[in-house]
Amino acid sequence: MSISSNNKVNAFFVDTQLIPAAQLDAAVAIRALFLKAETTLVEDVKYGGLVFSLSDQLVGGIYAYKNHLSIEFSNGAAFSDVNKIMEGKGKKRRHIKIVTIDDLSEKNVVYFIAQALAANAL
């Protein structure tokens, strides 16, 4: 599978083929949302997941688990989240659990990606 010019990214997606097909589809869709939101994002594989950086600053990433995906945001604790969608208790990081591809719209992932990019621009 070749979806990126970065071989580590391609290897990440080959590895995720071991997870259920629905999760793989969701991972590909999440990647597309990040890249559509900011075309200059740099993608790489770090910490066991696919990460996105802008100006050498980590913006967020996708991590695959047995029963879900997790979209991690480096500065998620500072995001507006009136519906309490994000999880985590760290000083800065927050994440969104994705079980089905429908969660992308139901949990308003585009909104959180936009906040991650805006936070990086500061």
PDB file of all heavy atoms in Angstrom, residues 5 28 30 37 59-61 68 111 120:
ATOM      1  N   SER A   5       4.420   9.697   0.278  1.00  0.00           N
ATOM      2  CA  SER A   5       5.809   9.663  -0.178  1.00  0.00           C
ATOM      3  C   SER A   5       6.750   9.291   0.968  1.00  0.00           C
ATOM      4  O   SER A   5       7.920   9.020   0.747  1.00  0.00           O
ATOM      5  CB  SER A   5       6.206  11.016  -0.761  1.00  0.00           C
ATOM      6  OG  SER A   5       6.083  12.027   0.219  1.00  0.00           O
ATOM      7  N   VAL A  28      -7.644   6.047   7.589  1.00  0.00           N
ATOM      8  CA  VAL A  28      -7.393   6.710   6.302  1.00  0.00           C
ATOM      9  C   VAL A  28      -8.230   7.988   6.214  1.00  0.00           C
ATOM     10  O   VAL A  28      -7.753   9.039   5.754  1.00  0.00           O
ATOM     11  CB  VAL A  28      -7.674   5.750   5.131  1.00  0.00           C
ATOM     12  CG1 VAL A  28      -7.655   6.484   3.792  1.00  0.00           C
ATOM     13  CG2 VAL A  28      -6.669   4.605   5.129  1.00  0.00           C
ATOM     14  N   ILE A  30      -9.347   9.836   8.762  1.00  0.00           N
ATOM     15  CA  ILE A  30      -8.804  10.825   9.698  1.00  0.00           C
ATOM     16  C   ILE A  30      -7.579  11.499   9.084  1.00  0.00           C
ATOM     17  O   ILE A  30      -7.423  12.719   9.146  1.00  0.00           O
ATOM     18  CB  ILE A  30      -8.446  10.174  11.047  1.00  0.00           C
ATOM     19  CG1 ILE A  30      -9.700   9.651  11.734  1.00  0.00           C
ATOM     20  CG2 ILE A  30      -7.693  11.169  11.944  1.00  0.00           C
ATOM     21  CD1 ILE A  30      -9.423   8.666  12.867  1.00  0.00           C
ATOM     22  N   ALA A  37      -7.251  19.848   5.969  1.00  0.00           N
ATOM     23  CA  ALA A  37      -7.301  21.050   6.802  1.00  0.00           C
ATOM     24  C   ALA A  37      -6.050  21.902   6.649  1.00  0.00           C
ATOM     25  O   ALA A  37      -6.113  23.132   6.770  1.00  0.00           O
ATOM     26  CB  ALA A  37      -7.497  20.670   8.267  1.00  0.00           C
ATOM     27  N   VAL A  59       1.225  18.499  16.037  1.00  0.00           N
ATOM     28  CA  VAL A  59      -0.158  18.971  16.066  1.00  0.00           C
ATOM     29  C   VAL A  59      -1.074  17.895  16.628  1.00  0.00           C
ATOM     30  O   VAL A  59      -1.923  18.152  17.471  1.00  0.00           O
ATOM     31  CB  VAL A  59      -0.624  19.377  14.646  1.00  0.00           C
ATOM     32  CG1 VAL A  59      -2.105  19.716  14.628  1.00  0.00           C
ATOM     33  CG2 VAL A  59       0.213  20.536  14.128  1.00  0.00           C
ATOM     34  N   GLY A  60      -0.906  16.664  16.143  1.00  0.00           N
ATOM     35  CA  GLY A  60      -1.760  15.576  16.589  1.00  0.00           C
ATOM     36  C   GLY A  60      -1.344  14.282  15.925  1.00  0.00           C
ATOM     37  O   GLY A  60      -0.371  14.244  15.165  1.00  0.00           O
ATOM     38  N   GLY A  61      -2.090  13.224  16.233  1.00  0.00           N
ATOM     39  CA  GLY A  61      -1.748  11.941  15.663  1.00  0.00           C
ATOM     40  C   GLY A  61      -2.883  10.937  15.753  1.00  0.00           C
ATOM     41  O   GLY A  61      -3.875  11.161  16.452  1.00  0.00           O
ATOM     42  N   HIS A  68     -10.434   0.368  19.035  1.00  0.00           N
ATOM     43  CA  HIS A  68     -10.723   1.746  18.628  1.00  0.00           C
ATOM     44  C   HIS A  68      -9.465   2.424  18.094  1.00  0.00           C
ATOM     45  O   HIS A  68      -8.364   1.896  18.222  1.00  0.00           O
ATOM     46  CB  HIS A  68     -11.289   2.553  19.801  1.00  0.00           C
ATOM     47  CG  HIS A  68     -10.297   2.855  20.882  1.00  0.00           C
ATOM     48  ND1 HIS A  68      -9.931   1.931  21.838  1.00  0.00           N
ATOM     49  CD2 HIS A  68      -9.568   3.967  21.134  1.00  0.00           C
ATOM     50  CE1 HIS A  68      -9.035   2.468  22.646  1.00  0.00           C
ATOM     51  NE2 HIS A  68      -8.784   3.706  22.248  1.00  0.00           N
ATOM     52  N   TYR A 111     -13.685  19.987  13.654  1.00  0.00           N
ATOM     53  CA  TYR A 111     -13.643  21.124  14.587  1.00  0.00           C
ATOM     54  C   TYR A 111     -12.394  21.056  15.472  1.00  0.00           C
ATOM     55  O   TYR A 111     -11.715  22.062  15.681  1.00  0.00           O
ATOM     56  CB  TYR A 111     -14.920  21.094  15.429  1.00  0.00           C
ATOM     57  CG  TYR A 111     -14.956  22.049  16.594  1.00  0.00           C
ATOM     58  CD1 TYR A 111     -15.095  23.419  16.393  1.00  0.00           C
ATOM     59  CD2 TYR A 111     -14.894  21.568  17.899  1.00  0.00           C
ATOM     60  CE1 TYR A 111     -15.153  24.294  17.470  1.00  0.00           C
ATOM     61  CE2 TYR A 111     -14.952  22.436  18.977  1.00  0.00           C
ATOM     62  CZ  TYR A 111     -15.082  23.797  18.758  1.00  0.00           C
ATOM     63  OH  TYR A 111     -15.146  24.658  19.818  1.00  0.00           O
ATOM     64  N   ASN A 120      -1.430  25.763  16.941  1.00  0.00           N
ATOM     65  CA  ASN A 120      -0.057  25.666  16.449  1.00  0.00           C
ATOM     66  C   ASN A 120       0.387  26.985  15.825  1.00  0.00           C
ATOM     67  O   ASN A 120       1.574  27.304  15.842  1.00  0.00           O
ATOM     68  CB  ASN A 120       0.053  24.526  15.436  1.00  0.00           C
ATOM     69  CG  ASN A 120       1.476  24.295  14.989  1.00  0.00           C
ATOM     70  OD1 ASN A 120       1.910  24.897  14.025  1.00  0.00           O
ATOM     71  ND2 ASN A 120       2.176  23.444  15.716  1.00  0.00           N
TER      72      ASN A 120
END
